[in-house]
Amino acid sequence: RSASLGKSGTEDVQLVLAQTYEKLSNLVTQLSSRFKERSVQRVAVLPFVGSDDKTADAVGGYLTDKIMNLFYSSGQAKVIERTAIDKVIDELALGYSGRFDDASAQRLGRLLNADTLIRGKFIGLSGGIIEITSRAIAVETGEIIGVGSVTIPAQGILNSR
């Protein structure tokens, strides 16, 4: 009996992870729907933050990495490595506060030679659901060129860390 419970538990986790992957892939599709017409070449995915704007969060790190990997896999644009982004953030002394106003985000994008920044937030909702909202922003103009929003089960992230 315990073997079947273990197998079922593993299958449940695999199902939740597959659903999470599908939802995050959908978020990338939403964000990049206008990339071709906007001639987007290089994307920098900024750290995803919780509702309190803190970047030093395992959930935010997980989401940032997953979104970055999915953008790369999609082939929609070249993706700037996270360590390069972190280095420039530290040089701009933004790493501690975790906050990017429009001017500092645009400066960061220029320093990284990115034409588009991906910014995102997540918030835990009732029922074990996390909502993720994100925007694609043109570095030169500050114009929003893509938006996306998905909900995922918190279990999909908490079990993956």
Side-chain angles (χ1 to χ4, degrees):
R1 180 178 168 114
S2 64
S4 67
L5 286 175
K7 183 177 181 187
S8 176
T10 300
E11 289 171 356
D12 289 346
V13 170
Q14 289 174 340
L15 178 63
V16 168
L17 290 175
Q19 290 170 344
T20 300
Y21 177 86
E22 182 180 325
K23 296 278 188 136
L24 294 178
S25 294
N26 183 271
L27 179 62
V28 168
T29 300
Q30 291 174 47
L31 289 167
S32 62
S33 65
R34 297 180 61 201
F35 277 16
K36 190 174 273 188
E37 73 184 69
R38 303 294 288 201
S39 300
V40 171
Q41 299 293 313
R42 290 175 52 93
V43 171
V45 180
L46 301 184
F48 276 54
V49 295
S51 58
D52 58 359
D53 285 335
K54 292 188 178 176
T55 58
D57 182 291
V59 172
Y62 173 84
L63 291 171
T64 303
D65 285 344
K66 282 293 190 188
I67 298 297
M68 188 176 293
N69 290 347
L70 289 165
F71 265 110
Y72 177 81
S73 296
S74 76
Q76 293 286 338
K78 292 180 181 172
V79 180
I80 298 168
E81 171 56 40
R82 185 172 176 179
T83 54
I85 296 168
D86 290 344
K87 182 178 178 186
V88 174
I89 289 172
D90 289 344
E91 288 175 10
L92 291 175
L94 296 172
Y96 181 73
S97 71
R99 296 189 177 158
F100 294 95
D101 60 24
D102 291 339
S104 61
Q106 285 181 298
R107 183 172 175 211
L108 176 64
R110 282 195 220 58
L111 288 170
L112 291 167
N113 195 27
D115 51 50
T116 304
L117 298 175
I118 306 299
R119 296 174 73 176
K121 278 191 163 192
F122 61 91
I123 185 167
L125 303 175
S126 62
I129 301 293
I130 294 176
E131 181 178 29
I132 305 161
T133 57
S134 187
R135 298 183 312 265
I137 303 163
V139 169
E140 287 305 313
T141 64
E143 178 185 1
I144 295 173
I145 61 171
V147 296
S149 177
V150 296
T151 57
I152 61 173
Q155 179 186 2
I157 291 181
L158 301 177
N159 287 342
S160 299
R161 293 191 283 161

